[in-house]
Amino acid sequence: MQSTVQGFRRAAPSDIDRLMEIRGAVRENRLSNPLSVTRADYDRFVGEGRVWVSEIGNTIVGFSASDEHDGSIWALFVDPAHQRAGIGPALLGKACLDLKIDGYKSVRLTTQGGTVAENLYRRLGWADVGISDSGEVKFELRF
């Protein structure tokens, strides 16, 4: 689907239901335990101003979040109907910039192997630094 992103902004508490809807709709990197990410998690990241959203019209089509406590990317998800339109890389860049401004010299994240996300991170220059305890590929990007 062709998407025309009309803007990026920080998420508001009123956006959380849509963020959770997008997270639940993804085809890859699905939560093995959907209860492992709670509304309280979203409340924390949104409340700390760590979540970026991308909108088309008045509809949120993707979001990213960085964790200032450990220098990682907590979330990067795009509505499946709007994937492959450049939304993910743009959102990822915003989350990474937040961490760079926080003083981090590198950023970390994990993702399932063999996914579109894994290919995206490799294409964007992220380094594969191993496998996590849960079997996901660990990536790092140095600034």
Side-chain angles (χ1 to χ4, degrees):
M1 170 180 209
Q2 285 288 52
S3 302
T4 303
V5 174
Q6 294 181 338
F8 297 92
R9 65 173 172 81
R10 298 284 183 176
S14 60
D15 298 325
I16 293 174
D17 287 341
R18 177 64 178 145
L19 304 182
M20 294 176 74
E21 180 182 334
I22 291 170
R23 178 67 182 95
V26 297
R27 297 180 186 117
E28 296 183 336
N29 290 307
R30 297 184 65 81
L31 292 170
S32 57
N33 176 2
L35 300 177
S36 65
V37 177
T38 67
R39 184 169 189 99
D41 294 319
Y42 287 91
D43 287 337
R44 177 174 78 89
F45 283 96
V46 169
E48 292 176 353
R50 304 307 295 194
V51 181
W52 283 97
V53 298
S54 174
E55 294 179 304
I56 296 175
N58 292 323
T59 303
I60 295 172
V61 297
F63 71 99
S64 64
S66 62
D67 190 334
E68 66 184 313
H69 303 287
D70 68 4
S72 69
I73 300 300
W74 180 71
L76 176 63
F77 296 100
V78 176
D79 184 315
H82 296 278
Q83 289 179 339
R84 299 184 188 263
I87 297 167
L91 284 166
L92 181 60
K94 291 190 173 300
C96 289
L97 181 58
D98 283 344
L99 291 169
K100 185 175 184 178
I101 290 168
D102 290 336
Y104 285 95
K105 304 295 184 214
S106 65
V107 180
R108 298 173 295 106
L109 59 78
T110 62
T111 193
Q112 291 175 343
T115 60
V116 171
E118 177 188 14
N119 293 332
L120 171 71
Y121 301 133
R122 289 183 192 286
R123 191 173 76 245
L124 294 176
W126 289 68
D128 178 337
V129 294
I131 302 294
S132 71
D133 292 341
S134 63
E136 292 187 323
V137 181
K138 296 192 301 188
F139 283 100
E140 180 178 63
L141 180 68
R142 293 194 176 277
F143 300 126

